[in-house]
Amino acid sequence: MSNSGSLQALGRLLRYARGYRRTIIAATGCSVINKLFDIAPEILIGVAIDVVVNQERSFVARLGFESAHSQIVMLGILTFLIWAGESVFEYLYQILWRNLAQRLQADLRQDAYEHVQRLDMGFFESHSTGGLVATMNDDVNQLERFLDGGANSMVQVAVTVVAVGAVFVVLSPLIALLAFTPIPLILWGAFVFQRKAAPLYANVREKVGVLSSRLSNNLQGIATIKSFTAESREAARLSADSEAYVEANRQAIRISSAFIPVIRMAILTGFLATFTVGGMMAIRGDLNVGAYGVLVFLTQRLLWPLTGLAQVIDLFERAMASTRRILDLIATPIRVADDGDQSLPQPVRGAVNFNDVSFHYPGTGAGIDQVSLQVEAGRTLALVGATGSGKSTLIKLLLRFHDPDSGEVYLDGMAVKQLRQSELRQAIGLVSQDVYLFEGSIRDNIAYARPDAGDDEVIAAARTAEAWDFIERLPEGLDTLVGERGVRLSGGQRQRLSLARALLKDPPVLVLDEATSAVDNETEAAIQRSLARIGSERTVIMIAHRLSTIVHADDILVMEHGRVVEQGNHEQLLAVNGRYAAQWRVQTGDLVMPTTA
């Protein structure tokens, strides 16, 4: 990572924050004025020394204050005003910078999250949840820390160099030259440090993402870890990731820690030059005693803050490494854009059509090839086949989680690419095998489909999904908290709540992806009765491995290696005596070959 990399990241950040330009200018202005007030007392000390030494011949006397007494009183009043001004502008710049930091980090996190929500499912299949959380949380917070203090420090260091330099040139160009001699070395050291530190801090941010991903995965898989008594193994893996993060920080700290001692010696050189040469000039009478005092004090004011340059650059590099990750995430191309502008004909009937559709996942090559199928409105289609045969891929294409490589998917005769995504997905209810419940109550999770639904509607959906009986037996009923991801409920209970949620949505198309895989036989029979009732009013697409759940489907597609290899209803497929019939015999234990007419 080069110096230009950090500057480019800063440029990208400033372009992103153009809506806060006035706030940035105001905060910078307050920082500048505060620093000018901050260095003024050193000048006043020199002026006071001049008053004490020269009295009626002092610089202040030439301004109209003839007596030493009036001069001191005037300096006292001026000192009060300067300190008051410094305090006021310190308050203002802190308010402005800190509020900017809070507002900007909130906007970055919100924009990153909203952008991620618009990305296709392929993005989530290739990125870890922990890494995304690290970017939207840790990296954003890192930038906030820089804006809280580092930005102001950078502005004030620059102001100090310019303002103090101007005073030096006015009082003694020779001493100005001597005092400023170390500054090129300091700046050179800062750029060397920045060049070496930039890739180190980029590595630190990467290690944070890995560590966050490990923690997130392990906490979500804690039951599996416990069941395999793998606690020690996972602790060791976490320790390795944690040590990698510590080592990445150690390398960055080694570079930043070496900066201050080198800069301190350069500062000493400048201070000694001012102290000795200026002192000799004052003794000879070539330099006013008060001016000498100003130069000595301002040399410290000029050079000592530069020792903090390492910490400022440290914050800057960490912030720019984080900024790159945040803005890169926001700039991730949306491969499945919500660019449709058509509406479905009303009322939505739910007819689904795949016309010669092919799709393959990047990297693996798995997917589907030239699949064509048609589901008439109000009918039930079942998809069966081995894992990886392409069943779930068809559902993802229908919901437009992905776009096909070729071919078209239609809903009620409209290509799904032409439809607004919100309208398309509102017409489809998905009950997935991997049920996700949000932390909250049972009512909240069912009503997630329609937050404005009343309890009567929620209960009706729960009854239809055969979930009301177990909900009613719970001490708190609909108010029962389900826990994170629904951990307080059984697999069958979670699946029934998921079905109730989809039914409350009342979609024209209902998609069931292994929706009865986690329920017992009795519950499966109850859900089948529910599906028989609701299936007559809507299009139902079912994915199932248990063939007993789909025997009443109007049409069954058997898939293998991404292609449709058999199609028909249950009786027709048994009569064909092909793959479906073989699977049926395995599941039912019926090894007698069916006879054909």
Side-chain angles (χ1 to χ4, degrees):
M1 191 68 60
S2 62
N3 294 333
S4 61
S6 295
L7 295 178
Q8 287 172 1
L10 178 60
R12 292 174 67 190
L13 178 63
L14 290 175
R15 287 192 295 274
Y16 175 84
R18 58 184 176 273
Y20 295 101
R21 191 168 298 165
R22 291 185 179 181
T23 303
I24 294 172
I25 292 173
T28 302
C30 290
S31 294
V32 170
I33 296 172
N34 169 262
K35 180 49 64 175
L36 293 176
F37 276 125
D38 184 48
I39 63 178
E42 276 73 16
I43 299 176
L44 290 181
I45 292 174
V47 173
I49 293 173
D50 180 49
V51 168
V52 172
V53 173
N54 297 313
Q55 298 187 15
E56 287 79 6
R57 294 178 290 105
S58 69
F59 168 77
V60 177
R62 294 198 294 271
L63 300 178
F65 299 90
E66 296 180 357
S67 69
H69 176 76
S70 63
Q71 294 174 29
I72 292 297
V73 170
M74 187 275 292
L75 289 177
I77 294 172
L78 193 56
T79 299
F80 172 80
L81 293 175
I82 288 172
W83 280 72
E86 180 186 359
S87 298
V88 168
F89 282 97
E90 181 174 0
Y91 170 78
L92 291 176
Y93 84 63
Q94 291 211 34
I95 288 290
L96 289 168
W97 280 120
R98 289 184 176 182
N99 284 337
L100 174 65
Q102 293 301 315
R103 189 67 264 156
L104 195 56
Q105 63 93 14
D107 285 352
L108 278 166
R109 183 179 291 111
Q110 189 68 27
D111 286 348
Y113 175 73
E114 290 182 6
H115 182 77
V116 165
Q117 283 193 131
R118 294 194 294 271
L119 295 175
D120 64 287
M121 294 304 295
F123 174 84
F124 297 96
E125 291 160 3
S126 60
H127 290 76
S128 70
T129 303
L132 293 174
V133 170
T135 298
M136 288 187 278
N137 192 44
D138 295 343
D139 284 324
V140 170
N141 290 341
Q142 188 66 56
L143 177 59
E144 177 196 354
R145 284 191 284 272
F146 168 71
L147 292 175
D148 263 346
N152 170 71
S153 297
M154 293 184 75
V155 170
Q156 294 200 331
V157 166
V159 171
T160 300
V161 171
V162 173
V164 173
V167 174
F168 267 58
V169 170
V170 170
L171 294 179
S172 175
L174 174 61
I175 294 180
L177 177 63
L178 295 173
F180 275 73
T181 297
I183 290 183
L185 177 60
I186 294 171
L187 294 178
W188 174 81
F191 279 114
V192 169
F193 164 72
Q194 190 266 345
R195 187 173 62 252
K196 291 183 178 295
L200 297 178
Y201 285 124
N203 187 42
V204 167
R205 301 317 306 163
E206 291 297 328
K207 293 296 186 288
V208 167
V210 172
L211 187 58
S212 296
S213 180
R214 175 75 64 193
L215 284 168
S216 175
N217 289 338
N218 283 13
L219 290 175
Q220 290 182 34
I222 193 67
T224 303
I225 292 172
K226 287 178 175 293
S227 68
F228 285 94
T229 62
E231 291 92 341
S232 298
R233 189 193 323 159
E234 291 302 328
R237 294 170 70 182
L238 179 64
S239 177
D241 289 340
S242 183
E243 286 301 317
Y245 173 56
V246 170
E247 175 61 21
N249 266 302
R250 188 188 66 80
Q251 294 178 17
I253 291 169
R254 186 183 72 244
I255 295 296
S256 63
S257 298
F259 181 69
I260 292 179
V262 173
I263 299 308
R264 189 181 295 274
M265 296 309 297
I267 289 170
L268 177 61
T269 303
F271 179 74
L272 287 177
T274 304
F275 184 78
T276 55
V277 175
M280 295 296 181
M281 292 175 66
I283 291 172
R284 291 197 307 268
D286 297 334
L287 184 67
N288 183 285
V289 174
Y292 173 62
V294 171
L295 292 174
V296 170
F297 284 116
L298 283 184
T299 300
Q300 290 185 307
R301 176 63 68 182
L302 167 69
L303 297 176
W304 285 116
L306 294 177
T307 60
L309 200 57
Q311 284 86 354
V312 174
I313 294 178
D314 185 90
L315 276 175
F316 176 73
E317 283 304 328
R318 289 178 182 267
M320 290 307 101
S322 294
T323 297
R324 279 189 292 271
R325 284 164 55 90
I326 301 163
L327 295 181
D328 284 348
L329 178 60
I330 293 176
T332 302
I334 298 175
R335 292 191 292 185
V336 182
D338 188 8
D339 50 4
D341 58 0
Q342 302 295 312
S343 294
L344 284 165
Q346 298 296 321
V348 180
R349 298 182 302 109
V352 175
N353 182 30
F354 281 67
N355 184 17
D356 201 24
V357 174
S358 296
F359 171 79
H360 297 90
Y361 295 98
T364 65
I368 59 173
D369 290 294
Q370 299 177 319
V371 172
S372 294
L373 63 89
Q374 185 171 351
V375 189
E376 295 179 9
R379 293 177 67 83
T380 297
L381 170 71
L383 301 172
V384 300
T387 300
S389 59
K391 306 182 301 296
S392 295
T393 300
L394 292 175
I395 302 307
K396 292 176 182 178
L397 293 172
L398 174 60
L399 284 160
R400 212 179 166 215
F401 291 164
H402 300 281
D403 278 337
D405 301 330
S406 62
E408 288 288 351
V409 182
Y410 298 91
L411 178 60
D412 281 356
M414 303 267 319
V416 296
K417 287 183 180 179
Q418 299 175 346
L419 299 173
R420 299 181 184 90
Q421 285 186 5
S422 59
E423 189 166 339
L424 167 68
R425 291 168 184 169
Q426 191 61 36
I428 303 172
L430 174 64
V431 182
S432 177
Q433 178 182 10
D434 184 18
V435 176
Y436 189 93
L437 296 183
F438 296 92
E439 190 166 9
S441 68
I442 288 177
R443 177 189 290 103
D444 294 337
N445 273 278
I446 296 178
Y448 191 80
R450 281 177 47 215
D452 59 341
D455 278 2
D456 290 345
E457 296 172 290
V458 170
I459 293 171
R463 288 186 187 279
T464 305
E466 301 286 343
W468 181 243
D469 286 346
F470 87 80
I471 295 173
E472 202 172 24
R473 290 195 298 269
L474 295 172
E476 297 180 60
L478 288 172
D479 294 316
T480 302
L481 298 179
V482 303
E484 187 177 10
R485 295 182 64 90
V487 294
R488 297 180 183 175
L489 303 177
S490 70
Q493 290 172 333
R494 291 198 296 269
Q495 210 146 31
R496 279 178 279 176
L497 290 186
S498 178
L499 179 59
R501 182 165 60 192
L503 293 177
L504 181 62
K505 186 179 180 181
D506 194 24
V509 180
L510 182 63
V511 176
L512 306 172
D513 187 355
E514 290 289 339
T516 60
S517 62
V519 299
D520 55 36
N521 292 332
E522 182 179 349
T523 304
E524 180 188 355
I527 292 178
Q528 288 303 316
R529 291 193 299 270
S530 299
L531 293 177
R533 292 195 301 271
I534 64 176
S536 60
E537 303 170 0
R538 73 191 78 235
T539 303
V540 179
I541 300 177
M542 304 174 62
I543 294 177
H545 284 103
R546 292 159 65 174
L547 302 185
S548 59
T549 63
I550 61 166
V551 293
H552 300 296
D554 297 308
D555 202 13
I556 300 171
L557 266 63
V558 182
M559 299 195 67
E560 188 174 284
H561 304 306
R563 293 180 179 273
V564 177
V565 293
E566 292 180 359
Q567 183 172 357
N569 59 32
H570 177 70
E571 290 77 14
Q572 291 170 337
L573 291 175
L574 287 181
V576 170
N577 195 26
R579 293 174 176 81
Y580 180 86
Q583 189 175 349
W584 175 262
R585 290 195 297 271
V586 170
Q587 291 191 13
T588 61
D590 181 9
L591 300 180
V592 178
M593 297 289 289
T595 59
T596 58

